[in-house]
Each structure stands twice: as structure tokens, then as C-alpha cells.
Amino acid sequence: MDPGVDHAGTSFAVMSFSAEGRAVARRWAAALTATGAPVWAWHGDGATERALAELRDRLDGATVGWRLMLAGPEADVLRARSLAVERDAIDAEIRVHVCGTGRKRVWCAHCGGTTETECEAGQAVACANCGRGLLVHDHVSRRHAAYLGVLADPET
Amino acid sequence: MNPESRLARFPFPLRADTYRYSTNIEPARVPVRTETGEWGGVLLDVDDDYAADLAERKRILKADPGRLQVLPHVRPACWDALLTCLRELAAQRPDELSLRCEGGELAWRNDLLGVCARFREGDDDALPGGPLGFLGSQIQDDIVLLDQREGALWADAGLVTFASGWSLRFDVGMRFDEVHGPVPRVHEDGVLARAERFLLRLRPGQEYRRTNWSLAAGGRLDHSAESSPEWAADRARAATARGRELAALVHLRVEVQHLVRLGASGALLFLIRTYLLPLAELARVPAWRLRLGRVLAELPDDIAGYKGLTPFRDAAVEYLLGS
Amino acid sequence: MTGLELVVTRSAEVVPGVRELVLARPDGGPLPAHPAGSHVVAECGERRNAYSLTNGGAEPREYAVAVLRRPGGRGGSAWLHERRPGDPLVVSAPRCAFAPVLTARRHLLVAGGIGITPMLAHVRDAVRWNRDVELLYAHRPDAPAYAADLDRLLGERLRRTSDRREFRGLLGDALRRQPLGTHLYVCGPAPLMELVTDTAEAAGWPAQRVHRERFTAAEVAPGTPFTARLRRSGRDVAVAAGTTLLDALHAAGVAVPSMCRQGVCGECRVPVLAGQPQHRDEYLDEHERAAGTCVLPCVSRSETGVLEVDL
Ligand code: HEM
Ligand code: FES
């Protein structure tokens, strides 16, 4: 679902990941240009270190009135959102639209490592850090930008 | 703890022969009479396991420092929690525990553990583990601190070594409803929304409590998500055990949870005190044996599954209700 | 209201028309701790007024309030202006709906006139925990209450004025240049609160960053008396104003199981046979409320003079 643009904002950052995300971001940018508010737009394949560094620069210079809009796969959108909240943005200042692939991040309860992969809650994935077989729980931390992975119980 | 006093102080939580989740909140410090004795007269229960439980926490924390989590903005609330709880302990056991103000410094003395500490409020380095780490070395309860903002409660700090199937390190920073994401029914039923509205309105100094329960294989307090590789073997054993073997292995695990609105910081302090009783001991009380048996027999599958007791539920019912 | 019975220990006019009262327990003992931005509801003769606490909230032994004499008011403030050391005063336990947001990168405080009182507590708390704080203070030319204290605590971080145009300029400027992560706190006369919130909204501030102290008394009204008719035992139980139905039933020896006594757990639910319940709980859903066939006696009352229940 497209949440649409937040007309209460006075300046905007629009970040998109993947082709599907880009299409959404174009729609948003068009709607925002009409308002005359300053818009900064960024597009890439994913929430890479380079993408996050760009966002960090924006956040450090932002004043109250700024809004962040994110479109793309869940893993990327959650990472960017997590950085924004760590740097003092609040829920009301962020709009997200998840689209594209089912790429998720899974946080290992045993080693703290994160594995990024196509998966669904209820499936098992191997932890990229410690190798344990993890059951992906339907439990998301927006701060870790990840799903909970716990050693798959041989009993269940 | 010897079996008699464990039984006498055990907070048996089931009030009827069926169990469903509810917003089961009641005022703190009101004693509850049970078949075997009494529980609930105090906020912080110091019992015969005090030293042993704290030694266990120390061991766990040393192996995994991630059990202590503090997001930086809740530092003042950590100090508030520490001082509130130390004062409470001192008031409860004035002969063995004391908190004094001496020349701008605080002096804590704990004769039960042989601990003395001097520190200045706000000086995190003066205490091992900072204020929350130190608090966790003086009370048996697990600790979570919730910050209130944007019309919600956020679990922003804690020291949790005895969790039942969850991970504080994963949950830290979540909103109250997100923390409860995996719990079945409570979202649709409105149980959780009512609880949160109630908690948001708690005024400085107000104190409430609730209980929660489950069955667990093995007598360890630490049933966290992190440590599941350690308890998987007991779970596997319980899945095939029957009768006396099962009754010695499987425990009723009860959490007495306190909810306290701290004064100076306005944060919500959530204390979780965990009690374990093997089914074999529980069965010595006929009323408890029958009640737990009936509750387990009737418990809907989704709740049983969430509580993790499916592998040994039928065997436990058979043990408790069989002749 | 479970009140604190205090005595006035000091009473002084800090600027013309504003009297500061310092309150303590008769035995000087500790008072309930509270966050910055808390208020108490004081029983002022016939009236009840809310006042911000200006004292530090950790382990307080004194509560301090500042009372503006309102000539056109309903008498509560005039009554308080007559209190002198030694006089008794009953206040509620502290409540708080205006605490500093701990995640804030900066705290921007805007006060008008007597609205400075909760800000004083905010400023003290911010200084104690080393928070980034800025105060904009609009006051009458002759009556800048607490200006000296604030000057000392804040130095350059305090801007104050008694010129309306200058205030608007400072306000607009302040609201447009705050780093993301700033929270805004406003207290003062209604027109000033409106001006600040409107200016903030126009500058793109989301409501979650804007905090207003409005003293909406959260107090539940004591309600009117009614009679509970118990169908099974054929008895009538009188429920006085300020007494809950549950307490009245208990006093009459009728056992009803209860738990939270706050209307959230559902434990005390009782079927209603006649009369219309006045629902004050959080437990029943819309349908149950409308049907009126049950009531939670720990908080709810009756719209009708008689409420017949299945007890
Ligand atoms: C009155 C308030 C509360 C109510 C009614 C409530 C209710 C519940 C219920 C019904 C469960 C499922 C328990 C089970 O079947 O074993 C649960 C789990 C849990 N609760 Fe609460 N709770 C409350 C307060 C809190 C607070 C303040 C926290 C602090 C963060 C908390 C943290 C948790 C956690 C971490 C779990 C385990 C979730 C998981 O499996 O990941 N609860 N709660
Ligand atoms: S006692 Fe909980 S709703 Fe009445």
C-alpha cells in the first residue's frame, strides 16, 4: 500500500531501492514537486554502506519539518529506517512502502550475526556468521532491521 | 531452597480450571493465601535462593554481556530504578541492608551478600555494570525499563538473564505491542491494548503486578532464546519421558511481574521474578495437581504451542489427572 | 482523591500578583517523587485547581507551586493567596503529562506568563542531566517571575521579551532552525499556546514533537448516588457519590471477585437486569456497552436511579 506523501512536511528525502521502489519514488517526487518543497532523491540497488552514508549526511543536516520516504524491499527499507530513528527521526516523520523482492534480514539469537536472504517467517535459514540452522520467527525488530532467528527446535 | 518452604511460598497462578489470556493486573503488595501458604506481600521477594540466583546471573552475564542492554537516553531512568529498588530492599530488611547518604555520596551495604558500594548518583563508572548492572546483582528479578513517548511505551533498557523463550538483546528498543508480536490472541482480543492504555496512565509511584506461567523442561532459570542450544536436550528428553521421570524433569514456571511507575524519571519499571516447581512437588498439593491438569487438558493448541509445552503436554496431563 | 495533607512552610509574593507556596508534610517526611513537568491538584476551599510543581522531583521533601492571582477567576487563586506558613493544604499525588522526552536531542521550551512554572522544573532537570535546552519566555514588563533563577541556570540559552512582535519573530526563527530530534514544550495563556502550535505546524513539526501543558484534570468525577437492587437476595444497596459500586457491595457483605479495580481486567463483571449502566471501564466492547446487560462495578455506575443486578 502506498502511504502517499506527507503534505505537512517542509523538506523531503526520498530513497528508493530496486526497480519497483524506483517507480514508487518517481510518483512521490512528482507529487512533491507540485508543492514546491525541497526534495532530495536517491536511488540504488539496496541499502548499502554508501547509501546509508548519504542518508546519514542528510540526517545530520536536517531540521524539524524534514520527512523521509522509503520505497523498496523490506530488508533495505528497514535498514534505512533504523538508521533514521537512531539519528533522531520519529515514526511520524517516516513513510515507507515495501515492494520488490522478499529479501529479509535474520538476526541470530546465538551469535548476534545478521543474514540477508530471501525467506519467509516459519522457514529455516543457515546463519551466515555461525552456521547454525535458524528458524525465522514472525518477530521483527525495527531497530535491528531484522527478523528473529532461533536455533530450529528438533522437536517441532 | 528446601522443598517445604518452596511449596509454601510458591505463587500458584491458576484461578480457574480453564485459562485464557486476560489483562490480569492487580495492586502490588497484597498477600495471596494459597493451599500451602502465602505469596505476594512484598515488591521485591528475597528468598533462600537469593545468593544462588545472583551467582547464576553473574555467571550468565559473564558468558554473555549482551543480556544487559541500555539505550543511552534511559540512563536517568536506570539510576531511578536502582535507587528506588535499593531503598525498597533496605526498608524491607533494615538489619541486613541499608542505603545511606554520606557527604553527597550514597553508601549501600548488603550483609546478605557481603557487598559494600559507595557511589555518586549519575556516575555510571562508580558501579560494576552501571546502575542497571548493579541493580541486577542485588535483586533476583529480571529487569526491563520502558520509556513513555509518542503515546506508547518502549522497552529501552533491561537486564534479563532468566527469560522464558525471548531475547532482550533482540527486543530492546521495541514498542510494547512489538515486544508482544509473537503472542497469539492478545492483539485481536484487545488484551494488550487495554494493558497498554492502563500502563500509560499509571501515576508516579503506582505499583501493580500480574502473573504469567508456562511449563519448562529442566530446572534452569535461563530459558532465553539465546541459550536454547543448552536446553534443547532437556526438551527432547521431556518429549519422551513419562510418569516419575517426567514429573522430576518438567517444571511449572511462574513469573510474578511487577509494574512500577518510577517517580523521578517517570519511566515504567517492569520486574520479572521467576519461580520453578517440579511437577512431582506440585502434585503433593491435590488442588494444584487437579487444577493444572485440567487447565493443560483444556488449553487451546495455539496457546500451548506458543508456551512451548506441546511436546510434553499430553504426558503431563496423564501424570496429573491419571489415578 | 487520595490527597496528601500538607502544610504551608513558606509563602511569598515573587512578583506582583504571583505567590509562591512551599508545602511539606507536617512531620517534614519525604513526599512522592515525580518527573519534571508534573502538577498537583490543590483543594482551594470549594475549588480544585491544578498547579505545576517547580521543585526538583527526585526525593522531594517540599513541593513548590506558584499561584497567579486571577481577579476574574472563581476564587481558588485568591484563596491560595491568603495561605500563610502553618496553614494546612490538601493536594493530590503528583500527576504528569508534560515530562521531558528522554530521546530528544534538544528541548525547546516556550512559556508565556505564569506558564513558566512547569518550565522551571524542566530547566532544572535539563541542567542536572546535561541536556541541550533553550527557553523562550514571554512575560509582562513588570512581572518576569523567576527571571533571575532562569538567567543563572540558562545564561544565553534564555531569550525573554515582553514585546509581542519581538516574541513572534523569535518564535518563528526558533521553530525553523531546530535540528531534527528537537522536542517543543509550550505552556501559557490559550492565545499564546495557539500561536505556538500553529506556527510549529506551519513549519512542519509533527504533533508528536509538540507537548502542551493544559491541565486537563484527569480526575474521574465522583458521580451521583444511586441504588443497586440485588434481584436474588431482594436487597437494596445505596451507592454514595465517590464510592464505587464494588465497594458498596463489599460493605453490604456481597462478595464480588475483583482484581485490578481499574476497569481493565473484567474480573468483577456483573449481569444487569434493569436500569442503564454508566460505563466507565476499558474492558467492555461497543456492543456490550450498548446492550447494557452487564457492568464492571469497580469503576462503573448507573445512569438510572436504580440499577438492578443479578446478585
Ligand atoms: C499488563 C501488562 C502486560 C500484559 C497483559 C502482558 C501479557 C503477556 C502475555 C499474555 C504474554 C504471553 C505469555 C505466555 O503465554 O507465556 C506475554 C509475553 C511477553 N511479555 Fe508481556 N504483558 C504485559 C506487560 C509486559 C511488559 C511491561 C513487558 C516489558 C517489555 C512485557 C514483555 C513480554 C515479553 C518479552 C514476552 C515474551 C514475548 C515473546 O515470546 O517474544 N510484557 N505478555
Ligand atoms: S476488578 Fe478489574 S475490571 Fe473490575
PDB file of all heavy atoms in Angstrom, chain A residues 55-75:
ATOM      1  N   LEU A  55      22.481   8.920   3.529  1.00  0.00           N
ATOM      2  CA  LEU A  55      21.345   9.221   4.409  1.00  0.00           C
ATOM      3  C   LEU A  55      21.823   9.874   5.702  1.00  0.00           C
ATOM      4  O   LEU A  55      21.213  10.826   6.202  1.00  0.00           O
ATOM      5  CB  LEU A  55      20.565   7.928   4.697  1.00  0.00           C
ATOM      6  CG  LEU A  55      19.386   8.065   5.670  1.00  0.00           C
ATOM      7  CD1 LEU A  55      18.373   9.096   5.190  1.00  0.00           C
ATOM      8  CD2 LEU A  55      18.687   6.709   5.865  1.00  0.00           C
ATOM      9  N   ARG A  56      22.936   9.364   6.229  1.00  0.00           N
ATOM     10  CA  ARG A  56      23.482   9.923   7.476  1.00  0.00           C
ATOM     11  C   ARG A  56      23.792  11.409   7.299  1.00  0.00           C
ATOM     12  O   ARG A  56      23.475  12.228   8.172  1.00  0.00           O
ATOM     13  CB  ARG A  56      24.742   9.144   7.860  1.00  0.00           C
ATOM     14  CG  ARG A  56      25.072   9.197   9.326  1.00  0.00           C
ATOM     15  CD  ARG A  56      26.191   8.229   9.691  1.00  0.00           C
ATOM     16  NE  ARG A  56      25.771   6.839   9.698  1.00  0.00           N
ATOM     17  CZ  ARG A  56      26.341   5.861   8.978  1.00  0.00           C
ATOM     18  NH1 ARG A  56      27.362   6.126   8.170  1.00  0.00           N
ATOM     19  NH2 ARG A  56      25.906   4.626   9.062  1.00  0.00           N
ATOM     20  N   ASP A  57      24.356  11.766   6.168  1.00  0.00           N
ATOM     21  CA  ASP A  57      24.648  13.181   5.897  1.00  0.00           C
ATOM     22  C   ASP A  57      23.379  14.012   5.919  1.00  0.00           C
ATOM     23  O   ASP A  57      23.335  15.120   6.463  1.00  0.00           O
ATOM     24  CB  ASP A  57      25.296  13.341   4.517  1.00  0.00           C
ATOM     25  CG  ASP A  57      26.772  12.951   4.549  1.00  0.00           C
ATOM     26  OD1 ASP A  57      27.301  12.786   5.669  1.00  0.00           O
ATOM     27  OD2 ASP A  57      27.364  12.808   3.461  1.00  0.00           O
ATOM     28  N   ARG A  58      22.328  13.473   5.306  1.00  0.00           N
ATOM     29  CA  ARG A  58      21.039  14.194   5.282  1.00  0.00           C
ATOM     30  C   ARG A  58      20.517  14.387   6.695  1.00  0.00           C
ATOM     31  O   ARG A  58      20.059  15.455   7.065  1.00  0.00           O
ATOM     32  CB  ARG A  58      20.000  13.380   4.500  1.00  0.00           C
ATOM     33  CG  ARG A  58      20.283  13.231   3.052  1.00  0.00           C
ATOM     34  CD  ARG A  58      19.961  14.508   2.333  1.00  0.00           C
ATOM     35  NE  ARG A  58      21.104  14.877   1.537  1.00  0.00           N
ATOM     36  CZ  ARG A  58      21.241  16.051   0.934  1.00  0.00           C
ATOM     37  NH1 ARG A  58      20.290  16.968   1.025  1.00  0.00           N
ATOM     38  NH2 ARG A  58      22.307  16.323   0.241  1.00  0.00           N
ATOM     39  N   LEU A  59      20.572  13.308   7.461  1.00  0.00           N
ATOM     40  CA  LEU A  59      20.025  13.340   8.818  1.00  0.00           C
ATOM     41  C   LEU A  59      20.772  14.352   9.679  1.00  0.00           C
ATOM     42  O   LEU A  59      20.182  15.095  10.455  1.00  0.00           O
ATOM     43  CB  LEU A  59      20.121  11.951   9.458  1.00  0.00           C
ATOM     44  CG  LEU A  59      19.078  10.951   8.963  1.00  0.00           C
ATOM     45  CD1 LEU A  59      19.542   9.523   9.191  1.00  0.00           C
ATOM     46  CD2 LEU A  59      17.743  11.195   9.650  1.00  0.00           C
ATOM     47  N   ASP A  60      22.086  14.395   9.509  1.00  0.00           N
ATOM     48  CA  ASP A  60      22.876  15.304  10.349  1.00  0.00           C
ATOM     49  C   ASP A  60      22.559  16.761  10.047  1.00  0.00           C
ATOM     50  O   ASP A  60      22.659  17.612  10.921  1.00  0.00           O
ATOM     51  CB  ASP A  60      24.370  15.017  10.178  1.00  0.00           C
ATOM     52  CG  ASP A  60      24.760  13.690  10.816  1.00  0.00           C
ATOM     53  OD1 ASP A  60      23.910  13.138  11.561  1.00  0.00           O
ATOM     54  OD2 ASP A  60      25.874  13.191  10.563  1.00  0.00           O
ATOM     55  N   GLY A  61      22.151  17.029   8.820  1.00  0.00           N
ATOM     56  CA  GLY A  61      21.853  18.416   8.466  1.00  0.00           C
ATOM     57  C   GLY A  61      20.372  18.769   8.582  1.00  0.00           C
ATOM     58  O   GLY A  61      19.996  19.921   8.367  1.00  0.00           O
ATOM     59  N   ALA A  62      19.537  17.801   8.895  1.00  0.00           N
ATOM     60  CA  ALA A  62      18.090  18.038   8.837  1.00  0.00           C
ATOM     61  C   ALA A  62      17.593  18.894   9.998  1.00  0.00           C
ATOM     62  O   ALA A  62      18.119  18.823  11.103  1.00  0.00           O
ATOM     63  CB  ALA A  62      17.349  16.700   8.832  1.00  0.00           C
ATOM     64  N   THR A  63      16.590  19.710   9.725  1.00  0.00           N
ATOM     65  CA  THR A  63      15.906  20.441  10.789  1.00  0.00           C
ATOM     66  C   THR A  63      14.476  19.906  10.894  1.00  0.00           C
ATOM     67  O   THR A  63      13.980  19.259   9.967  1.00  0.00           O
ATOM     68  CB  THR A  63      15.848  21.956  10.489  1.00  0.00           C
ATOM     69  OG1 THR A  63      15.303  22.119   9.182  1.00  0.00           O
ATOM     70  CG2 THR A  63      17.224  22.595  10.538  1.00  0.00           C
ATOM     71  N   VAL A  64      13.830  20.198  12.036  1.00  0.00           N
ATOM     72  CA  VAL A  64      12.465  19.701  12.230  1.00  0.00           C
ATOM     73  C   VAL A  64      11.585  20.237  11.103  1.00  0.00           C
ATOM     74  O   VAL A  64      11.657  21.421  10.761  1.00  0.00           O
ATOM     75  CB  VAL A  64      11.906  20.121  13.595  1.00  0.00           C
ATOM     76  CG1 VAL A  64      10.466  19.625  13.745  1.00  0.00           C
ATOM     77  CG2 VAL A  64      12.762  19.570  14.727  1.00  0.00           C
ATOM     78  N   GLY A  65      10.767  19.363  10.534  1.00  0.00           N
ATOM     79  CA  GLY A  65       9.980  19.714   9.342  1.00  0.00           C
ATOM     80  C   GLY A  65      10.349  18.781   8.209  1.00  0.00           C
ATOM     81  O   GLY A  65       9.609  18.599   7.250  1.00  0.00           O
ATOM     82  N   TRP A  66      11.522  18.143   8.362  1.00  0.00           N
ATOM     83  CA  TRP A  66      12.064  17.199   7.372  1.00  0.00           C
ATOM     84  C   TRP A  66      11.286  15.888   7.423  1.00  0.00           C
ATOM     85  O   TRP A  66      10.849  15.453   8.480  1.00  0.00           O
ATOM     86  CB  TRP A  66      13.527  16.977   7.731  1.00  0.00           C
ATOM     87  CG  TRP A  66      14.344  16.079   6.849  1.00  0.00           C
ATOM     88  CD1 TRP A  66      15.004  16.440   5.718  1.00  0.00           C
ATOM     89  CD2 TRP A  66      14.649  14.697   7.081  1.00  0.00           C
ATOM     90  NE1 TRP A  66      15.701  15.363   5.216  1.00  0.00           N
ATOM     91  CE2 TRP A  66      15.497  14.274   6.031  1.00  0.00           C
ATOM     92  CE3 TRP A  66      14.291  13.769   8.054  1.00  0.00           C
ATOM     93  CZ2 TRP A  66      15.998  12.987   5.925  1.00  0.00           C
ATOM     94  CZ3 TRP A  66      14.783  12.474   7.956  1.00  0.00           C
ATOM     95  CH2 TRP A  66      15.624  12.082   6.908  1.00  0.00           C
ATOM     96  N   ARG A  67      11.114  15.268   6.245  1.00  0.00           N
ATOM     97  CA  ARG A  67      10.443  13.966   6.193  1.00  0.00           C
ATOM     98  C   ARG A  67      11.265  13.003   5.343  1.00  0.00           C
ATOM     99  O   ARG A  67      11.910  13.413   4.371  1.00  0.00           O
ATOM    100  CB  ARG A  67       9.048  14.093   5.552  1.00  0.00           C
ATOM    101  CG  ARG A  67       8.065  14.955   6.319  1.00  0.00           C
ATOM    102  CD  ARG A  67       7.643  14.315   7.630  1.00  0.00           C
ATOM    103  NE  ARG A  67       6.520  15.034   8.236  1.00  0.00           N
ATOM    104  CZ  ARG A  67       6.639  16.135   8.982  1.00  0.00           C
ATOM    105  NH1 ARG A  67       7.840  16.647   9.220  1.00  0.00           N
ATOM    106  NH2 ARG A  67       5.559  16.720   9.481  1.00  0.00           N
ATOM    107  N   LEU A  68      11.190  11.733   5.711  1.00  0.00           N
ATOM    108  CA  LEU A  68      11.897  10.687   4.975  1.00  0.00           C
ATOM    109  C   LEU A  68      10.877   9.747   4.358  1.00  0.00           C
ATOM    110  O   LEU A  68       9.940   9.319   5.035  1.00  0.00           O
ATOM    111  CB  LEU A  68      12.819   9.916   5.928  1.00  0.00           C
ATOM    112  CG  LEU A  68      13.547   8.700   5.342  1.00  0.00           C
ATOM    113  CD1 LEU A  68      14.496   9.125   4.217  1.00  0.00           C
ATOM    114  CD2 LEU A  68      14.319   7.966   6.439  1.00  0.00           C
ATOM    115  N   MET A  69      11.063   9.422   3.056  1.00  0.00           N
ATOM    116  CA  MET A  69      10.170   8.477   2.390  1.00  0.00           C
ATOM    117  C   MET A  69      11.025   7.370   1.780  1.00  0.00           C
ATOM    118  O   MET A  69      11.998   7.645   1.086  1.00  0.00           O
ATOM    119  CB  MET A  69       9.361   9.198   1.318  1.00  0.00           C
ATOM    120  CG  MET A  69       8.677  10.442   1.887  1.00  0.00           C
ATOM    121  SD  MET A  69       7.314  11.035   0.884  1.00  0.00           S
ATOM    122  CE  MET A  69       6.172   9.696   0.997  1.00  0.00           C
ATOM    123  N   LEU A  70      10.640   6.128   2.060  1.00  0.00           N
ATOM    124  CA  LEU A  70      11.453   4.981   1.648  1.00  0.00           C
ATOM    125  C   LEU A  70      10.607   3.995   0.858  1.00  0.00           C
ATOM    126  O   LEU A  70       9.498   3.653   1.270  1.00  0.00           O
ATOM    127  CB  LEU A  70      12.006   4.266   2.884  1.00  0.00           C
ATOM    128  CG  LEU A  70      12.895   5.102   3.809  1.00  0.00           C
ATOM    129  CD1 LEU A  70      13.065   4.403   5.161  1.00  0.00           C
ATOM    130  CD2 LEU A  70      14.253   5.334   3.147  1.00  0.00           C
ATOM    131  N   ALA A  71      11.154   3.517  -0.285  1.00  0.00           N
ATOM    132  CA  ALA A  71      10.445   2.503  -1.074  1.00  0.00           C
ATOM    133  C   ALA A  71      11.428   1.444  -1.525  1.00  0.00           C
ATOM    134  O   ALA A  71      12.560   1.763  -1.920  1.00  0.00           O
ATOM    135  CB  ALA A  71       9.768   3.151  -2.284  1.00  0.00           C
ATOM    136  N   GLY A  72      11.008   0.166  -1.435  1.00  0.00           N
ATOM    137  CA  GLY A  72      11.886  -0.918  -1.883  1.00  0.00           C
ATOM    138  C   GLY A  72      11.686  -2.172  -1.059  1.00  0.00           C
ATOM    139  O   GLY A  72      10.740  -2.262  -0.279  1.00  0.00           O
ATOM    140  N   PRO A  73      12.596  -3.154  -1.189  1.00  0.00           N
ATOM    141  CA  PRO A  73      12.478  -4.408  -0.432  1.00  0.00           C
ATOM    142  C   PRO A  73      12.550  -4.160   1.074  1.00  0.00           C
ATOM    143  O   PRO A  73      13.217  -3.231   1.528  1.00  0.00           O
ATOM    144  CB  PRO A  73      13.686  -5.227  -0.909  1.00  0.00           C
ATOM    145  CG  PRO A  73      14.066  -4.637  -2.228  1.00  0.00           C
ATOM    146  CD  PRO A  73      13.723  -3.179  -2.137  1.00  0.00           C
ATOM    147  N   GLU A  74      11.890  -5.035   1.814  1.00  0.00           N
ATOM    148  CA  GLU A  74      11.786  -4.880   3.256  1.00  0.00           C
ATOM    149  C   GLU A  74      13.141  -4.717   3.938  1.00  0.00           C
ATOM    150  O   GLU A  74      13.322  -3.854   4.799  1.00  0.00           O
ATOM    151  CB  GLU A  74      11.054  -6.104   3.829  1.00  0.00           C
ATOM    152  CG  GLU A  74      10.761  -5.970   5.301  1.00  0.00           C
ATOM    153  CD  GLU A  74       9.858  -7.075   5.824  1.00  0.00           C
ATOM    154  OE1 GLU A  74       9.523  -8.004   5.059  1.00  0.00           O
ATOM    155  OE2 GLU A  74       9.506  -7.011   7.007  1.00  0.00           O
ATOM    156  N   ALA A  75      14.113  -5.545   3.545  1.00  0.00           N
ATOM    157  CA  ALA A  75      15.419  -5.506   4.203  1.00  0.00           C
ATOM    158  C   ALA A  75      16.040  -4.111   4.096  1.00  0.00           C
ATOM    159  O   ALA A  75      16.572  -3.578   5.076  1.00  0.00           O
ATOM    160  CB  ALA A  75      16.353  -6.538   3.582  1.00  0.00           C
TER     161      ALA A  75
END
